[in-house]
């Protein structure tokens, strides 16, 4: 989604704003702009395309001033042009606004404001806020912003500056993340901490309904009725290196290669090998509450939904508790069955995905206990859930999720192990599973050490137009995830399917031009997937097979093979996903795609 940055203090604002935008570019990258008060008026500079374009505009026509706001956009209303780039100005150019979210009654407001003589210069919903602030001006910026926000419907994270009340930034949030960075005599505003980490680790997270006024002397937080609110200052633990590429060509490749460490970090201090169980300090549920859980709903979007499918099988297999997996965007609007003994597990890397947040709030409203599996510390889902499991995978900058996925699956395995050992799982079986989890980091490293093998396979298929990914059992979701990775970054059409389902339709797609990826470790359903591979070969399909041992049964059926180490069935998706991430990555690079910022995508989808 869009990224917002703000600066107020003794130094020039522009350098901070541009640096901050670059750090937030993964959130949205189709156009950008800044607005700075130069002592007389609000000066804006905008450009379609990447931040580099805006930098070009600024070097040709710089702006100076110590108060400013900036924005990088992921278009919702109006095409990604300079005209629709933020900031947007009021008719009299005295008010500038940047916005992340959707104003649902923008058309009504636009009509009313036009009738009042305001001139609209963009197609955006956001511009209505600038005109409203001018229209409702009575003397102070915060009062005018409060007046404007009382009229808008929808979601927003906004920052506003005005030449009529110049030494302040007014910010507000409802649905889109915003935080204040507390510096040494200077103050920052940002959609997430990565934009300001180079200057401060002290942040104040704004909650939905909060407004903030930042001045050179400090900041205050209040509600929409101008009633002061207390918000604590929190410390960001991860460092700048975590958000640098560290010598890798792309953040995605760096994050793929971080997985031995990130999977270990997710298990650190939680896996108890001796007892064959896990310790999860953040669940915030007593033994009685955990034992009272008799049905589980897991809700999420995208890649997180794929890990939910694996979690479903793990929990049902080990704990014998029925699990429903729900697309968050569907769950929030249908009439789900939630009972007082329902546990709702919410999975989100960013912790800000609008549909997932709303689904959690819906489950909570109906009395479910909510558990957040989240990577971003301090994110909205993490602050609103009843308990949680932080992934500790570190910042994930690449839009295509990789390390968060494998950490989500291992976090679900830790949860399933704990719940199962409280029920019917023996210590011996528990130890076996715990040991297998403990061995994963080394096993993942052994896969990464052979990344070049995947690059060679990618070279063979970089010009393909379609791909099919097939798996069974725990690896059906891994097939979905493999297909999603390829789609997201290479723009090749790809589908994931349960291997046996292929006979019921997709097999019609098979010919010598269709590469088919099979995830076929030697697990409990290996014999079954062999026949599916034969069906593809019989129709001339090209097979790329992920195996875990020499398989005589596959003789003559393999065009390309990649070997992964063996582990217990429920953990094979973690090992199988790493080579599929590499396949997608190398194919995308060979096609010249922008791997870290694929077209049309954004890292966290904060609008529905
Ligand atoms: C995955 O590569 C995508 N970036 C996307 O599908 C993502 O998983 C989805 O938007 C959910 O994001 P979240 O985990 O931050 O909620």
């Amino acid at each position: 989604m869009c990224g917002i940055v703000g600066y107020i203090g003794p130094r020039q604002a522009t350098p901070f704003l541009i640096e901050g935008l670059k750090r937030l570019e993964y959130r949205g990258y189709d156009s950008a702009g800044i607005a700075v008060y130069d002592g007389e008026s609000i000066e804006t500079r905008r450009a379609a395309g990447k931040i580099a374009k805006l930098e070009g505009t600024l070097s040709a026509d710089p702006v100076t001033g110590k108060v400013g706001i900036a924005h990088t956009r992921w278009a919702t209303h109006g095409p990604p042009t300079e005209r629709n780039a933020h900031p947007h100005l009021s008719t009299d150019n005295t008010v500038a606004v940047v916005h992340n979210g959707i104003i649902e009654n923008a058309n009504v407001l636009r009509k009313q404001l036009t009738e009042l003589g305001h001139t609209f210069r963009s197609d955006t919903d956001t511009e209505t806020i600038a005109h409203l602030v001018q229209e409702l001006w009575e003397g102070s910026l915060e009062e005018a912003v409060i007046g404007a926000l009382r009229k808008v419907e929808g979601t927003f994270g906004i920052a506003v500056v005005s030449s009529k009340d110049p030494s302040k930034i007014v910010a507000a949030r409802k649905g889109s993340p915003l935080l204040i960075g507390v510096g040494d005599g200077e103050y920052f505003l940002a959609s997430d901490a990565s934009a300001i980490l180079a200057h401060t680790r002290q942040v104040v997270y704004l909650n939905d309904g909060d407004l903030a006024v930042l001045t050179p002397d400090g900041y205050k937080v209040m509600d929409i009725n101008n009633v002061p609110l207390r918000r604590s200052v929190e410390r960001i633990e991860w460092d700048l290196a975590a958000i640098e590429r560290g010598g890798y060509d792309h953040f995605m490749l760096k994050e793929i290669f971080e997985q031995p460490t990130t999977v270990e970090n997710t298990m650190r201090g939680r896996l108890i090998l001796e007892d064959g169980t896990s310790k999860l300090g953040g669940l915030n549920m007593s033994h009685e509450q955990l034992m009272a859980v008799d049905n589980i709903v897991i809700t999420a979007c995208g890649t997180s939904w794929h890990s939910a499918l694996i979690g479903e099988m793990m929990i049902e297999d080990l704990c014998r508790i029925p699990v429903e997996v729900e697309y968050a965007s569907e769950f929030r609007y249908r009439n789900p069955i939630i009972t007082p003994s329902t546990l709702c597990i919410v999975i989100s890397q960013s912790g800000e995905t609008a549909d997932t947040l709303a689904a959690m709030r819906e489950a909570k409203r109906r009395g479910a206990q909510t558990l957040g599996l989240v990577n971003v510390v301090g994110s909205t889902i993490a602050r609103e859930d009843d308990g949680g499991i932080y992934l500790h995978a570190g910042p994930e900058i690449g839009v295509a999720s990789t390390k968060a996925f494998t950490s989500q699956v291992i976090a679900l395995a830790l949860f399933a192990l704990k719940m199962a050992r409280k029920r019917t799982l023996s210590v011996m079986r528990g130890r076996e599973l715990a040991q297998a989890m403990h061995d994963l980091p080394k096993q993942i490293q052994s896969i990464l050490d052979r990344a070049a093998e995947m690059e060679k396979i990618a070279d063979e298929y970089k010009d393909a137009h379609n791909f099919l990914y097939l798996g069974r059992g725990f690896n059906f979701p891994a097939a979905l995830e493999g297909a999603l990775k390829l789609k997201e970054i290479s723009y090749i059409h790809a589908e994931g399917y349960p291997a046996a389902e292929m006979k019921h339709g997709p097999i019609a797609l098979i010919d010598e031009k269709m590469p088919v990826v099979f995830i076929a470790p030697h697990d409990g359903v290996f014999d079954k997937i062999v026949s599916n591979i034969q069906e593809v070969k019989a129709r001339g399909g090209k097979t790329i097979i992920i195996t875990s041992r020499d398989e005589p049964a596959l003789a003559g059926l393999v065009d390309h093979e990649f070997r992964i180490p063996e582990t217990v069935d429920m953990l094979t998706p973690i090992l199988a996903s790493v080579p599929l991430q590499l396949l997608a990555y190398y194919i995308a690079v060979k096609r010249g795609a922008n791997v870290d910022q694929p077209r049309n995508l954004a890292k966290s989808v904060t609008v529905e």
Side-chain angles (χ1 to χ4, degrees):
M1 217 46 16
C2 309
I4 288 173
V5 189
Y7 173 85
I8 188 162
R11 300 192 269 180
Q12 284 299 313
T14 303
F16 293 102
L17 299 176
I18 295 299
E19 183 204 329
L21 286 184
K22 284 184 183 165
R23 297 242 183 251
L24 293 183
E25 198 166 17
Y26 69 98
R27 299 177 62 91
Y29 31 82
D30 61 38
S31 57
I34 74 171
V36 174
Y37 177 66
D38 69 356
E40 279 171 25
S41 64
I42 300 287
E43 284 296 314
T44 62
R45 302 286 184 275
R46 308 182 303 181
K50 306 259 182 239
I51 310 295
K53 286 274 178 59
L54 177 62
E55 281 186 294
T57 305
L58 278 164
S59 48
D61 186 8
V63 286
T64 58
K66 299 175 179 175
V67 184
I69 55 177
H71 185 270
T72 178
R73 185 173 187 235
W74 189 85
T76 56
H77 288 64
T81 59
E82 190 275 333
R83 193 179 114 84
N84 290 328
H86 299 205
H88 289 289
L89 293 171
S90 55
T91 306
D92 63 1
N93 295 329
T94 62
V95 176
V97 175
V98 294
H99 168 229
N100 175 17
I102 291 181
I103 306 300
E104 283 152 12
N105 61 340
N107 293 343
V108 177
L109 293 170
R110 179 183 279 255
K111 191 163 171 297
Q112 292 166 352
L113 289 159
T114 306
E115 283 157 9
L116 289 167
H118 290 270
T119 313
F120 279 75
R121 291 172 274 192
S122 79
D123 315 312
T124 67
D125 52 333
T126 302
E127 193 182 346
T128 53
I129 301 174
H131 296 293
L132 271 175
V133 172
Q134 177 193 329
E135 186 62 30
L136 299 167
W137 192 275
E138 285 180 0
S140 86
L141 181 55
E142 57 267 37
E143 283 163 352
V145 171
I146 286 174
L149 295 180
R150 286 206 174 110
K151 294 190 177 302
V152 300
E153 288 156 24
T155 60
F156 53 80
I158 61 166
V160 189
V161 291
S162 171
S163 55
K164 292 190 284 189
D165 193 359
S167 56
K168 66 177 63 164
I169 300 174
V170 173
R173 99 155 257 174
K174 188 179 142 225
S176 304
L178 262 186
L179 55 84
I180 299 168
V182 181
D184 185 7
E186 53 192 5
Y187 300 89
F188 306 86
L189 193 68
S191 296
D192 75 51
S194 59
I196 57 167
L197 191 60
H199 306 290
T200 180
R201 288 172 175 276
Q202 307 296 319
V203 300
V204 176
Y205 294 102
L206 297 182
N207 292 346
D208 275 355
D210 289 2
L211 274 99
V213 179
L214 282 64
T215 67
D217 312 318
Y219 66 91
K220 61 180 180 177
V221 182
M222 68 272 230
D223 65 15
I224 194 85
N225 302 314
N226 220 339
V227 176
L229 294 170
R230 288 184 60 73
R231 293 283 175 258
S232 57
V233 178
E234 299 182 34
R235 182 182 161 76
I236 300 288
E237 291 310 331
W238 31 274
D239 57 26
L240 211 48
I243 53 176
E244 304 284 1
R245 264 190 290 132
Y248 286 89
D249 291 347
H250 297 97
F251 280 107
M252 183 181 179
L253 189 63
K254 175 195 175 207
E255 289 152 9
I256 291 174
F257 274 78
E258 280 180 339
Q259 290 178 106
T261 308
T262 51
V263 165
E264 183 149 18
N265 288 350
T266 306
M267 295 189 286
R268 192 183 308 287
R270 292 168 167 172
L271 197 54
I272 308 173
L273 289 172
E274 179 52 27
D275 300 338
T277 187
S278 70
K279 190 172 65 154
L280 297 167
L283 296 185
N284 198 15
M285 293 174 76
S286 66
H287 171 78
E288 291 67 31
Q289 285 176 304
L290 288 170
M291 292 309 286
V293 172
D294 63 8
N295 72 94
I296 294 178
V297 170
I298 312 181
T299 188
C301 302
T303 285
S304 300
W305 185 78
H306 294 152
S307 66
L309 293 174
I310 300 168
E312 172 185 28
M313 285 185 259
M314 288 173 168
I315 295 168
E316 290 194 341
D317 180 30
L318 295 182
C319 314
R320 313 311 292 151
I321 301 172
V323 178
E324 285 290 326
V325 173
E326 301 272 357
Y327 275 118
S329 54
E330 293 298 315
F331 180 82
R332 64 179 294 186
Y333 287 120
R334 70 178 188 75
N335 191 10
I337 297 173
I338 298 283
T339 69
S341 54
T342 299
L343 176 67
C344 178
I345 299 178
V346 175
I347 307 180
S348 176
Q349 187 286 129
S350 62
E352 301 291 357
T353 302
D355 284 323
T356 309
L357 177 58
M360 180 179 81
R361 289 174 174 163
E362 182 63 19
K364 229 177 151 133
R365 192 174 296 116
R366 290 163 182 259
Q369 181 81 8
T370 57
L371 203 58
L373 257 69
V374 172
N375 192 37
V376 177
V377 175
S379 58
T380 310
I381 289 176
R383 285 184 290 118
E384 290 192 16
D385 60 27
D386 299 312
I389 304 174
Y390 273 131
L391 301 184
H392 301 306
E396 189 175 67
I397 309 287
V399 168
S401 184
T402 52
K403 62 178 182 176
F405 175 69
T406 47
S407 280
Q408 285 164 353
V409 175
I410 201 68
L412 288 161
L414 288 167
F415 176 77
L417 188 62
K418 180 182 178 74
M419 291 292 267
R421 288 287 286 120
K422 282 182 176 297
R423 288 169 167 76
T424 55
L425 190 72
S426 71
V427 64
M428 298 313 288
R429 179 69 179 140
R431 283 183 182 156
E432 196 189 319
L433 295 172
Q435 187 58 49
M437 293 159 80
H438 183 70
D439 298 341
L440 284 170
K442 282 201 184 59
Q443 294 178 319
I444 295 171
Q445 188 56 57
S446 74
I447 292 170
L448 294 169
D449 296 343
R450 288 177 294 112
E453 289 176 35
M454 255 308 163
E455 185 165 9
K456 261 177 74 231
I457 297 174
D459 214 32
E460 185 100 11
Y461 294 100
K462 64 183 181 302
D463 302 319
H465 296 293
N466 299 286
F467 257 80
L468 207 53
Y469 288 73
L470 301 175
R472 297 186 80 135
F474 287 102
N475 288 300
F476 157 49
L480 291 173
E481 178 57 13
L484 178 62
K485 288 290 90 83
L486 189 70
K487 277 184 272 202
E488 281 190 275
I489 60 174
S490 75
Y491 318 140
I492 296 175
H493 174 242
E495 291 196 63
Y497 262 87
E501 197 50 30
M502 192 193 36
K503 296 190 286 298
H504 307 288
I507 197 166
L509 300 170
I510 306 293
D511 60 19
E512 61 291 338
K513 292 196 294 304
M514 173 64 90
V516 182
V517 177
F518 279 96
I519 304 165
H522 202 88
D523 61 11
V525 285
F526 174 75
D527 299 339
K528 302 299 174 200
I529 206 166
V530 172
S531 47
N532 303 131
I533 298 172
Q534 287 160 338
E535 289 151 11
V536 166
K537 279 317 283 177
R539 287 151 182 86
K542 289 277 182 294
T543 58
I544 301 165
I545 308 189
I546 309 285
T547 62
S548 63
R549 65 172 72 169
D550 288 344
E551 301 288 6
L554 294 181
L557 300 176
V558 182
D559 292 295
H560 297 275
E561 179 182 2
F562 188 92
R563 183 66 51 84
I564 59 173
E566 281 203 344
T567 183
V568 294
D569 291 7
M570 74 175 204
L571 299 178
T572 50
I574 292 179
L575 298 180
S577 295
V578 177
L580 300 185
Q581 294 163 353
L582 289 167
L583 180 66
Y585 172 79
Y586 289 125
I587 287 178
V589 168
K590 292 173 190 299
R591 291 165 71 98
N594 183 329
V595 168
D596 280 343
Q597 296 168 355
R599 70 186 185 200
N600 305 342
L601 286 179
K603 184 63 186 171
S604 81
V605 183
T606 53
V607 295
E608 63 172 302

